[in-house]
Amino acid sequence: MAARMNTLSLLNPSHVSLRPRDSRFSHRPLTLRFYTSPNPNRGALFCTCSTTNGESFVLTTPLYYVNAPPHMGSAYTTIAADAIARFQRLLGKKVIFITGTDEHGEKIAAAAMAQGSIPLDHCNLISQAYKTLWKDLDISYDKFIRTTDSKHEAIVKEFYSRVLAKGDIYQADYEGLYCVNCEEYKDEKELLENNCCPVHLKPCDSRKEENYFFALSKYQKSLEEALNKNPNFVQPSFRLNEVQSWVKGGLRDFSISRASVDWGIPIPNDRSQTIYVWFDALLGYISALSDEQEQPDLLNAVSSGWPAALHLIGKDILRFHAVYWPAMLMSAGLSLPKMVFGHGFLTKDGMKMGKSLGNTLEPNELVHRFGTDAVRYFFLREVEFGSDGDYSEERFINIVNAHLANTIGNLLNRTLGLLKKNCQSTLVVDSTTAADGNEFKDNVEKLVDKARMHYENLSLSSACEAVLEIGNVGNFYMDERAPWSLFKQGGTASEAAAKDLVIILETARIIAIALLPVTPSLSWRIYEQLGYSRDQFDAATWGDTKWGGLKGGQVMAQPKPVFARIENQTEDVDKGVAVGKTMKSKGKKMKQAQQVAGA
Ligand code: MSP
């Protein structure tokens, strides 16, 4: 064991006095032993590391537990992150979009055992299920980190040693009530009857063991200052109050090792303990940045893009990200991420949808039945980002049919049909000429600006709404101008009708780009219908939402619906009757799938 020193003289006195002594706390360090590092001079290495990474934009999803396959709740964060990543790329930022899996700890080991598997085999399987789902959901991640990756382990150990060198790790006995599903010791006062965890509704275990502790209390003041200085650090703003009150309420040191858990990264110099799964997993945001070809160390990883611009998380893991994580980074002399955004829960019957409760919704099943764009659009449009949202199949079908099939898809399809019939599928003039002096164009541009502002503020639902509004004004224009009857009149009326079609198709083009962060496949299908190549689509930027892209002479593709209305079932739902037969039996199948997923 490195430099084990049973002496108090090495300590900063405030370090000792800030530690909780209050007997009301059910979990608390009971006896203390202190350690210092063999190489205390290393402490300054990272203090200058607040990387200026130009225009790069690093954003992360949580690293998902691999106790069970992904469900719609886990897919939700990733879809939102993907929309933000795609939007930032359209703005021209160098985006590094990080996701991955959290594979260590008691909960994962127990899940593997329940499947009759060894932990790593189990992790390989579930981690792959995440990757497959991300592919099916068009998730454009740049880095996928697994906490069982060797580069991650190296970085966690180095980080641990740095915090140890800072004098922020000590050993003490620990006693408390532990929720394995949260992988967290709980305060008695936050528990329900019979010491049940309020999230997982399962009783917590009483635990007592000797652990290593992180001196979180030492960072109370620095955290308060950091939050005051940068109130945007926690978003939405109402979550900041919660974080501030936790900090104000007094920070207690937390245990960062487990003596009873084998499935984890061993504590450097003490193989009898493994590193607590959260102290391990949070580092995934940094280890993910490390290039495969490079020596896996903190300096290399950090210089590849740290600090992150945005951690997207669910509200249940806010404390870890907005309190523990910044304090850990301060201890190691690393910069803090710019923002932690805590979104709400997808609920089913008012309960958080989750693997541990087994009330999940299967994303594969939804994608299979309704397509990727529908799934992405529904959850981003329907759930205000930051708040909870309940899933209803009826609402799902109504929304995607009304917005994607009718407002957008049908507008494009009927315009292309008219263009084919009357103009040989060829645009008669540039869209700029067609809209000259027409205030319709100004309305579209205003709505585009609105969408951009909402994307920038992470108000994804409002961004979708603004884009949909472009579709609505397009439909209104089309119905008001009625080009089909103008064509019948011939002469100048017919020329005006041909211009109207250019205006509507330009509107559809703008919708495609403005909705690309949310519905990338649909956007491509729209572009293809407008006669663009895949390369042209891939090169699009937010600048292409400006009016004037379509040019006279451009030939459109054969009209083909870009978004198929969800048939039969929808009609039943629209009529307000019970859902159709197919739906019901599929629903039954889905329930069975959920039971497996939630096992
Ligand atoms: N492994 C930790 C995160 C470590 S990050 C360094 C973890 N994993 S998790 O799989 O349990 O949850 C991952 C994310 O999914 C969390 O942000 C959580 O809030 C989110 N969701 C899980 N169920 C959810 C819903 N029902 N609704 C929305 N998000 C949900 O926590």
Side-chain angles (χ1 to χ4, degrees):
M1 169 152 322
R4 178 169 171 150
M5 314 275 286
N6 278 322
T7 166
L8 285 171
S9 61
L10 292 164
L11 280 164
N12 171 343
S14 64
H15 186 160
V16 178
S17 62
L18 284 171
R19 211 152 284 133
R21 292 283 173 203
D22 193 328
S23 59
R24 285 170 308 165
F25 298 126
S26 57
H27 54 281
R28 60 199 183 276
L30 299 174
T31 53
L32 310 176
R33 261 168 245 122
F34 296 97
Y35 295 81
T36 189
S37 152
N39 185 1
N41 293 331
R42 295 189 61 213
L45 185 63
F46 287 90
C47 295
T48 53
C49 248
S50 68
T51 332
T52 42
N53 47 10
E55 278 298 275
S56 84
F57 186 94
V58 174
L59 89 157
T60 67
T61 72
L63 308 189
Y64 299 99
Y65 283 132
V66 290
N67 55 321
H71 59 86
M72 201 52 232
S74 19
Y76 176 62
T77 325
T78 313
I79 291 172
D82 188 64
I84 295 163
R86 286 177 186 271
F87 171 70
Q88 292 292 336
R89 288 192 197 107
L90 282 177
L91 292 186
K93 301 263 179 74
K94 180 187 173 286
V95 170
I96 305 179
F97 171 13
I98 295 172
T99 187
T101 42
D102 184 352
E103 306 189 2
H104 288 132
E106 188 172 348
K107 164 153 126 170
I108 310 304
M113 201 193 280
Q115 298 292 321
S117 187
I118 59 164
L120 190 57
D121 287 351
H122 174 81
C123 293
N124 289 342
L125 201 75
I126 306 287
S127 188
Q128 187 52 48
Y130 273 93
K131 284 186 174 167
T132 306
L133 178 65
W134 297 162
K135 190 164 181 290
D136 293 344
L137 282 169
D138 278 345
I139 304 298
S140 59
Y141 64 82
D142 299 291
K143 307 267 183 186
F144 189 103
I145 184 74
R146 298 181 57 184
T147 58
T148 48
D149 287 347
S150 58
K151 70 174 185 184
H152 174 77
E153 178 164 342
I155 282 173
V156 171
K157 284 180 169 163
E158 188 187 344
F159 185 91
Y160 181 95
S161 303
R162 293 197 59 76
V163 175
L164 182 69
K166 188 75 178 288
D168 289 345
I169 292 177
Y170 65 94
Q171 202 173 22
D173 289 336
Y174 206 65
E175 188 171 12
L177 291 162
Y178 196 73
C179 172
V180 180
N181 286 307
C182 291
E183 288 283 16
E184 187 183 19
Y185 278 103
K186 298 284 185 184
D187 261 346
E188 237 167 303
K189 58 178 186 262
E190 65 185 279
L191 299 178
L192 307 175
E193 225 174 289
N194 297 326
N195 291 333
C196 277
C197 163
V199 183
H200 297 101
L201 307 180
K202 290 186 182 141
C204 296
D205 297 342
S206 174
R207 299 270 167 94
K208 184 176 177 185
E209 57 179 42
E210 186 181 58
N211 290 155
Y212 292 89
F213 279 74
F214 172 63
L216 178 67
S217 53
K218 196 174 151 185
Y219 292 92
Q220 165 122 14
K221 209 161 174 281
S222 316
L223 269 172
E224 276 172 11
E225 279 168 13
L227 292 171
N228 288 339
K229 243 206 217 135
N230 181 12
N232 282 338
F233 178 65
V234 178
Q235 289 288 325
S237 51
F238 60 85
R239 299 213 191 281
L240 174 68
N241 304 336
E242 201 178 355
V243 172
Q244 277 174 322
S245 80
W246 288 332
V247 179
K248 244 191 217 128
L251 294 180
R252 278 171 293 141
D253 300 350
F254 66 98
S255 147
I256 55 163
S257 73
R258 296 291 181 267
S260 52
V261 180
D262 291 339
W263 181 238
I265 300 175
I267 291 275
N269 303 315
D270 184 354
R271 297 196 65 84
S272 70
Q273 303 233 2
T274 54
I275 295 181
Y276 172 44
V277 61
W278 273 99
F279 200 85
D280 157 353
L282 286 161
L283 264 302
Y285 298 143
I286 293 181
S287 64
L289 289 167
S290 149
D291 262 335
E292 301 307 328
Q293 295 80 0
E294 279 175 348
Q295 173 74 13
D297 62 37
L298 271 172
L299 185 57
N300 279 336
V302 159
S303 59
S304 300
W306 192 257
L310 175 64
H311 288 319
L312 272 193
I313 57 162
K315 62 182 178 181
D316 53 334
I317 54 175
L318 186 60
R319 192 193 300 256
F320 294 104
H321 286 79
V323 179
Y324 290 15
W325 180 224
M328 286 163 60
L329 290 165
M330 284 175 186
S331 171
L334 295 175
S335 309
L336 307 195
K338 301 268 187 285
M339 186 187 286
V340 174
F341 186 102
H343 65 69
F345 288 153
L346 298 189
T347 55
K348 234 179 142 194
D349 307 319
M351 296 287 292
K352 181 194 174 211
M353 197 186 283
K355 292 171 273 195
S356 304
L357 284 183
N359 61 345
T360 54
L361 189 61
E362 242 280 42
N364 288 310
E365 179 92 17
L366 286 183
V367 169
H368 184 68
R369 289 173 63 197
F370 305 125
T372 304
D373 293 308
V375 175
R376 293 173 61 112
Y377 180 79
F378 174 76
F379 287 103
L380 297 185
R381 169 68 180 83
E382 183 62 2
V383 183
E384 195 187 317
F385 201 46
S387 309
D388 292 353
D390 211 52
Y391 170 80
S392 135
E393 185 162 299
E394 183 177 326
R395 186 126 183 90
F396 184 103
I397 293 170
N398 285 342
I399 292 254
V400 298
N401 270 349
H403 297 189
L404 302 184
N406 294 353
T407 305
I408 297 178
N410 202 24
L411 176 67
L412 173 66
N413 197 248
R414 64 188 175 132
T415 313
L416 288 175
L418 280 172
L419 192 82
K420 183 178 175 197
K421 191 168 161 202
N422 298 286
C423 311
Q424 291 85 46
S425 293
T426 307
L427 305 184
V428 291
V429 284
D430 289 358
S431 50
T432 316
T433 314
D436 197 23
N438 190 336
E439 68 172 18
F440 174 80
K441 166 182 161 259
D442 305 331
N443 289 342
V444 170
E445 282 181 343
K446 272 185 207 138
L447 288 166
V448 165
D449 289 345
K450 213 167 162 187
R452 176 182 174 144
M453 180 195 77
H454 288 309
Y455 277 126
E456 275 169 348
N457 295 336
L458 310 184
S459 306
L460 302 174
S461 173
S462 305
C464 293
E465 207 177 316
V467 180
L468 241 281
E469 194 49 29
I470 303 176
N472 287 332
V473 297
N475 277 290
F476 186 76
Y477 183 84
M478 181 84 156
D479 293 342
E480 201 184 41
R481 296 283 301 162
W484 50 89
S485 53
L486 292 177
F487 277 123
K488 282 188 193 138
Q489 293 170 31
T492 50
S494 187
E495 279 168 25
K499 280 187 183 173
D500 285 336
L501 298 189
V502 176
I503 287 175
I504 298 297
L505 292 173
E506 176 70 359
T507 306
R509 191 193 64 74
I510 290 172
I511 291 174
I513 302 299
L515 205 57
L516 185 158
V518 179
T519 57
S521 300
L522 172 63
S523 293
W524 157 235
R525 289 195 298 277
I526 296 174
Y527 246 56
E528 197 178 24
Q529 284 278 283
L530 297 175
Y532 290 104
S533 68
R534 182 74 209 196
D535 285 350
Q536 285 171 309
F537 175 71
D538 288 341
T541 69
W542 189 261
D544 291 304
T545 55
K546 241 191 130 35
W547 193 276
L550 286 177
K551 303 292 177 212
Q554 179 145 335
V555 182
M556 307 290 105
Q558 280 301 310
K560 200 165 76 185
V562 286
F563 189 90
R565 193 179 153 79
I566 302 168
E567 291 302 343
N568 299 333
Q569 306 135 340
T570 322
E571 275 153 30
D572 291 340
V573 170
D574 285 349
K575 285 182 208 146
V577 298
V579 196
K581 242 185 189 170
T582 16
M583 266 305 237
K584 271 192 186 157
S585 62
K586 278 189 174 166
K588 202 169 164 197
K589 261 197 226 149
M590 189 146 95
K591 236 183 199 156
Q592 286 162 355
Q594 281 168 18
Q595 279 158 2
V596 174

